[in-house]
Amino acid sequence: MGRGIRNTMGLILAVVGAAAALWAPFRSWYNGRLGRDFRVWELFTGAGVTDSGAGLFASMFLPLLVGAVLTVLGVVFRSRLLVLVAGIITLGFAILWMVRQGQAEGSLTVTGDSVGLGSGVGLALLGGLLMLIGAAVMGGRERRAVRKARHEQEQHERDALEHEDKDGSSVGAGRPYGMAAREQETRDANVPGSGRQAPPGGDPPQRFVRRPEQQGSTPRGRPVPAREPDSGDRAREDSDRTQYEQNDEGGRSH
């Protein structure tokens, strides 16, 4: 994140500097004379700067255009070196022109009535400084080995996270939970020969007790007295049985 912010700020400064450098030759450089009127090769001759005119690509516009093109290439490829070279070219030619113009005039003056140094020189100097600052702020491109190592580390971290997620999902799907898990553990512990025993402090196995409504209803009524197997009182037996069945039917109705 920090590297991206630095690159963005550096690129913006470099582009602004390139725009200022391109605008500079069309502004006044000295005594109302535009920068495109100064011959660029006169900076390297013994005669120095003269009053002769110059074509557009033979004037100070040429080195500033080269600096702007290098800046654009540095922005596209995120190359600090290209932006740095562009700033050196722009700033160097502007300073060299000031030296040669001072030698030709004997001195340099700065006034506000179109006499002396104009705004074009200031724009060229400002553009070169912005390019140098942009090159210093830019983080540049990562080396191929560093970028490859970082990608491998990120891929390894993603693989580790995916592996952990898969392990967690498989363990969660294979293990029962809740009351079913405790019942399964209790049954496994009570199976003879399984090698597992219930923990001493654990819960005892649950017993399933039949509810009262599931149990059979007890007979109601008076108990029938025991008789001898040889007794032949059939009428009394029928009476007792009828009374028992009536009492039973009455209790069920209640």
Side-chain angles (χ1 to χ4, degrees):
M1 180 63 71
R3 191 182 187 89
I5 295 175
R6 288 183 56 188
N7 279 331
T8 303
M9 294 179 61
L11 296 178
I12 292 174
L13 291 175
V15 170
V16 172
L22 284 178
W23 190 25
F26 302 96
R27 302 291 299 175
S28 174
W29 279 53
Y30 196 79
N31 291 336
R33 189 178 178 187
L34 302 181
R36 64 183 183 181
D37 294 333
F38 293 94
R39 295 179 179 178
V40 67
W41 61 79
E42 290 181 349
L43 303 179
F44 305 99
T45 61
V49 177
T50 63
D51 295 335
S52 301
L56 181 62
F57 289 98
S59 66
M60 291 298 298
F61 176 75
L62 180 61
L64 300 182
L65 176 63
V66 172
V69 171
L70 290 178
T71 301
V72 173
L73 292 177
V75 169
V76 172
F77 295 104
R78 294 186 180 182
S79 174
R80 298 177 61 185
L81 180 60
L82 289 177
V83 179
L84 180 63
V85 172
I88 293 174
I89 291 175
T90 303
L91 196 62
F93 271 87
I95 294 175
L96 180 61
W97 177 89
M98 292 175 64
V99 173
R100 300 296 286 174
Q101 182 67 35
Q103 292 175 351
E105 296 290 335
S107 64
L108 292 176
T109 59
V110 180
T111 60
D113 53 356
S114 299
V115 179
L117 294 175
S119 60
V121 181
L123 286 174
L125 294 175
L126 178 63
L129 287 175
L130 289 177
M131 293 177 190
L132 295 179
I133 295 173
V137 172
M138 287 174 59
R141 298 181 62 183
E142 294 181 344
R143 295 181 179 180
R144 181 175 298 178
V146 176
R147 186 167 60 253
K148 183 178 179 180
R150 182 169 59 84
H151 289 334
E152 290 179 354
Q153 182 178 2
E154 292 177 354
Q155 184 65 30
H156 180 70
E157 292 177 355
R158 287 194 296 268
D159 294 341
L161 291 175
E162 292 178 358
H163 184 67
E164 291 179 359
D165 293 340
K166 291 181 179 178
D167 291 343
S169 60
S170 61
V171 170
R175 292 183 57 186
Y177 55 90
M179 182 63 70
R182 291 195 293 270
E183 293 178 358
Q184 182 66 30
E185 293 177 357
T186 304
R187 287 195 296 269
D188 294 342
N190 293 333
V191 172
S194 61
R196 300 178 57 185
Q197 296 180 359
D203 297 336
Q206 297 181 358
R207 294 183 178 180
F208 296 94
V209 182
R210 180 180 295 180
R211 297 180 180 177
E213 56 270 14
Q214 297 178 353
Q215 298 179 0
S217 58
T218 57
R220 295 181 178 86
R222 294 183 302 176
V224 179
R227 302 181 183 84
E228 294 296 334
D230 298 336
S231 62
D233 195 339
R234 302 295 298 178
R236 186 176 180 182
E237 182 179 357
D238 294 338
S239 176
D240 292 339
R241 184 176 56 186
T242 304
Q243 183 179 3
Y244 174 80
E245 292 177 353
Q246 292 177 356
N247 292 334
D248 189 17
E249 293 177 358
R252 291 182 181 178
S253 63
H254 286 296

